[in-house]
Amino acid sequence: MTINPYESAKKQILNVYDFLKEKGVSWEFIEEYLYPDRVLQVNIPVKMDNWDVKVFTWYRSQHKSYRGPYKWGIRFHQDVTENEVKALSVWMSVKTWVVDLPLGGWKWWIIVNPKELSQRELEELSRWYVRAIYKYLWPDFDVPAPDVNTNPQIMSWMVDEYSKLVWKFTPGAFTGKPLSIWWSRWRNIATSLGGLYVLEEYFDLEKEEFQGKTVAIQGAGNAGLNFAKLIEKKGVKIVAISDSRGWIYDPDWLNIEKIEKLKQNKQSVTDLPWAEIISNDDILKLDVDILVLAALENQITSENVEDIKAKYILELANWPVSPEADEVLFEKGQVVIPDILANAWGVTVSYFEQVQGNMNYYWPESEVFERLSVIMKKSTKDVYNLAKELKIDFRKASYVISLERQYEAWKVRK
Ligand code: NAD
């Protein structure tokens, strides 16, 4: 069954309207909030290596910016719908306010399989896009960052093109750049580190033991593998991990260092010779304490939710659990730490990078880490306390906190 992500995003907002109404939030605001401010489609002709011209389509949705520039990632991927881009822009607005950053949400998505392009074609595509829309980008209004299949090199080409067009070196206009041109320290592992701290903070608040728990991780990419490396040091037992080719399971503990080496050699986790390989469907149903979703959207739905056994589900990916499945998990007493809290740390450090770029001043690693930990701890406590007070799940509590904050900004600006 195909689920429309934008409809899911709207449903998540409407699901908390009763709680917001109690707090004085008006329907007028909610109605406006359901729609992005602006959706743009740009078609870019790129001269390929064989001199043919190929046209690439970009979608871009700017959701809301009541208290700061629109922010989020540029994704290069062959599969996209306008609804997906709109949904991701909504989730970004919600996310930035759960952790109280002065930003709004947006999303870019270009329909391309970057693996089919040469390095020169990729550079031309990246620079062309900036030439096409640079008048809509500036550090105080709209600040792009990398996402799936985009990287520091691509951001570097973009900031270089932008700086040439506006006749000013402008490192605060794009984030996720290489460290040599103002990439904030900690950015590369911020999402995984933050996800781990949120989980640890949750266990602390519940006064529950973290050590000795069993963990399964869907996705051995940037977010999943870095998370595995970090959580391994905390005395938990990682028994399963996956990539697009399959899952690997070892009840006695997987060796993450060996898995990382395989991934660095462009191999799959399934190339490990000694472990049992199981299917994607089976891994979601594994009897583990913590299930980490770090690959794809829409993994736990009304179709498989009854079979999910993990007590704790951490969403490092965006939208891996559908709203219908959320309700069932909550009823069954399973805890979902939602994407808008669990993976908000990449954008937080992106924001730090933006600030440092605009100030033309570099924070040391300790300062970035200190600022990140303060925000992580406070946001997790805010969400935890509200969820307990209202007897709702953590996603709903995150929405209530975020939308109430945005309403306050909307009210004084409208
Ligand atoms: P990535 O491309 O580095 O890794 C994705 C991983 O998922 C790969 O190992 C891939 O093989 C695996 N995968 C793909 N299809 C799969 C399938 N059918 N079953 C199992 N595994 C599969 O991407 P990433 O940066 O790690 O991002 C992963 C998710 O986390 C995305 O939804 C992304 O939007 C979200 N996210 C990432 C960050 C970040 O900072 N990296 C921040 C916020 C959200």
Side-chain angles (χ1 to χ4, degrees):
M1 185 178 60
T2 316
I3 303 176
N4 178 338
Y6 182 44
E7 290 307 317
S8 271
K10 289 204 274 191
K11 197 166 179 179
Q12 286 166 340
I13 295 165
L14 296 172
N15 275 346
V16 292
Y17 179 54
D18 284 348
F19 301 106
L20 290 166
K21 208 160 53 177
E22 291 279 304
K23 292 176 176 288
V25 174
S26 73
W27 173 250
E28 196 189 349
F29 163 74
I30 296 292
E31 197 167 20
E32 180 181 314
Y33 199 80
L34 293 175
Y35 300 92
D37 286 341
R38 212 169 282 113
V39 180
L40 186 70
Q41 182 186 336
V42 183
N43 299 303
I44 296 175
V46 173
K47 197 169 278 178
M48 308 301 282
D49 288 346
N50 64 4
W51 293 90
D52 284 351
V53 170
K54 198 166 168 187
V55 177
F56 294 91
T57 299
W58 295 69
Y59 287 108
R60 181 160 175 276
S61 169
Q62 290 176 320
H63 181 242
K64 299 293 164 205
S65 66
Y66 300 129
R67 205 183 59 165
Y70 297 103
K71 181 117 192 76
W72 207 17
I74 304 174
R75 183 175 296 195
F76 283 7
H77 203 274
Q78 56 279 24
D79 304 318
V80 65
T81 62
E82 192 178 316
N83 281 328
E84 213 162 342
V85 183
K86 283 183 347 199
L88 284 159
S89 71
V90 175
W91 288 321
M92 192 57 172
S93 290
V94 178
K95 186 183 301 186
T96 53
W97 286 65
V98 174
V99 298
D100 216 0
L101 301 178
L103 300 172
W106 66 253
K107 181 80 196 170
W108 286 4
W109 196 318
I110 176 159
I111 308 176
V112 60
N113 180 353
K115 290 177 190 146
E116 290 173 359
L117 298 193
S118 70
Q119 189 78 342
R120 190 206 63 80
E121 290 167 341
L122 201 56
E123 176 173 354
E124 184 57 9
L125 178 67
S126 307
R127 290 184 181 273
W128 225 122
Y129 187 69
V130 176
R131 290 198 289 275
I133 69 149
Y134 79 98
K135 295 216 162 156
Y136 301 97
L137 304 174
W138 65 95
D140 301 327
F141 180 67
D142 187 314
V143 185
D147 187 55
V148 176
N149 287 332
T150 44
N151 56 35
Q153 177 59 74
I154 290 173
M155 304 320 285
S156 220
W157 290 326
M158 289 186 169
V159 84
D160 181 68
E161 194 67 25
Y162 183 82
S163 297
K164 283 173 181 154
L165 287 162
V166 300
W167 283 76
K168 184 179 178 215
F169 179 54
T170 321
F174 289 80
T175 62
K177 306 178 297 293
L179 199 51
S180 55
I181 52 166
W182 306 97
W183 176 349
S184 178
R185 297 189 185 271
W186 287 102
R187 173 63 190 93
N188 53 339
I189 61 157
T191 302
S192 317
L193 185 69
L196 175 63
Y197 278 109
V198 170
L199 196 61
E200 273 192 309
E201 185 68 22
Y202 169 79
F203 275 88
D204 263 7
L205 291 164
E206 285 283 305
K207 303 199 179 5
E208 197 170 324
E209 198 54 53
F210 195 57
Q211 278 232 342
K213 294 270 185 286
T214 51
V215 182
I217 303 175
Q218 185 192 42
N222 184 332
L225 204 52
N226 278 319
F227 184 84
K229 278 162 47 187
L230 292 164
I231 200 171
E232 196 182 36
K233 295 189 189 122
K234 302 283 175 179
V236 301
K237 195 159 118 178
I238 302 172
V239 295
I241 194 161
S242 76
D243 60 25
S244 54
R245 288 200 11 223
W247 284 88
I248 184 155
Y249 174 66
D250 186 339
D252 292 329
W253 206 309
L254 287 169
N255 185 328
I256 296 303
E257 206 183 318
K258 286 215 162 62
I259 289 176
E260 191 184 15
K261 286 209 175 97
L262 281 179
K263 295 306 290 181
Q264 282 164 352
N265 291 335
K266 308 253 177 268
Q267 288 176 279
S268 162
V269 297
T270 57
D271 290 325
L272 268 186
W274 61 87
E276 186 187 348
I277 297 171
I278 55 176
S279 79
N280 192 7
D281 214 28
D282 289 340
I283 197 101
L284 293 173
K285 298 174 192 166
L286 271 180
D287 196 0
V288 289
D289 298 309
I290 304 168
L291 175 63
V292 181
L293 302 172
L296 301 171
E297 65 285 351
N298 216 8
Q299 293 302 291
I300 301 182
T301 65
S302 46
E303 284 173 21
N304 62 359
V305 64
E306 293 294 349
D307 299 323
I308 306 297
K309 298 183 194 70
K311 170 87 197 289
Y312 309 100
I313 296 161
L314 182 76
E315 295 185 329
L316 289 184
N318 291 303
W319 190 52
V321 178
S322 75
E324 296 74 19
D326 256 339
E327 302 286 333
V328 179
L329 291 168
F330 186 62
E331 287 296 310
K332 290 202 292 166
Q334 287 158 288
V335 177
V336 178
I337 314 272
D339 47 6
I340 47 175
L341 175 67
N343 74 20
W345 313 106
V347 68
T348 304
V349 178
S350 256
Y351 163 67
F352 292 168
E353 179 180 345
Q354 180 190 324
V355 172
Q356 292 169 78
N358 291 340
M359 287 196 301
N360 205 14
Y361 174 71
Y362 229 156
W363 299 344
E365 203 164 78
S366 56
E367 187 169 348
V368 176
F369 183 67
E370 177 60 27
R371 287 174 186 273
L372 187 64
S373 342
V374 169
I375 301 178
M376 281 184 305
K377 276 188 189 302
K378 180 178 181 312
S379 313
T380 309
K381 273 204 185 90
D382 287 349
V383 171
Y384 181 89
N385 289 337
L386 190 76
K388 295 288 166 186
E389 182 194 325
L390 299 179
K391 299 187 176 39
I392 53 179
D393 64 41
F394 293 120
R395 190 181 321 275
K396 284 201 177 104
S398 304
Y399 268 81
V400 172
I401 288 172
S402 172
L403 268 77
E404 195 187 356
R405 285 178 179 155
Q406 296 190 66
Y407 173 69
E408 290 304 321
W410 174 85
K411 203 168 59 177
V412 292
R413 286 191 63 175
K414 87 180 164 83

